[in-house]
Amino acid sequence: MVSSSAKKWLDEQYSLLASDGMLVKRPILIGDDFVLVGFKETDWKNSLGIE
C-alpha cells in the first residue's frame, strides 16, 4: 500500500514526466514487485515473463 504522501509525490513525478519526456534518459519499468531502471534485455524479459 502506498501512503498518501508517497502517492502525491508519484503523481507529481508522473506529471513532470508527461510534460517533458526528456527528463528521463533511461527507461523505467515499474511492476507490482519490482522496478527496473535502464535497459538490460535479460532483466526485462525475466521480469515480464518473456522467453
Side-chain angles (χ1 to χ4, degrees), residues 3-36:
S3 70
S4 61
S5 61
K7 182 174 180 348
K8 181 180 177 186
W9 181 84
L10 284 171
D11 288 343
E12 290 171 356
Q13 301 309 303
Y14 292 145
S15 293
L16 284 172
L17 183 56
S19 69
D20 183 1
M22 293 304 295
L23 291 174
V24 175
K25 294 183 181 185
R26 293 183 254 171
I28 300 173
L29 178 64
I30 302 172
D32 291 334
D33 58 349
F34 65 87
V35 175
L36 297 176

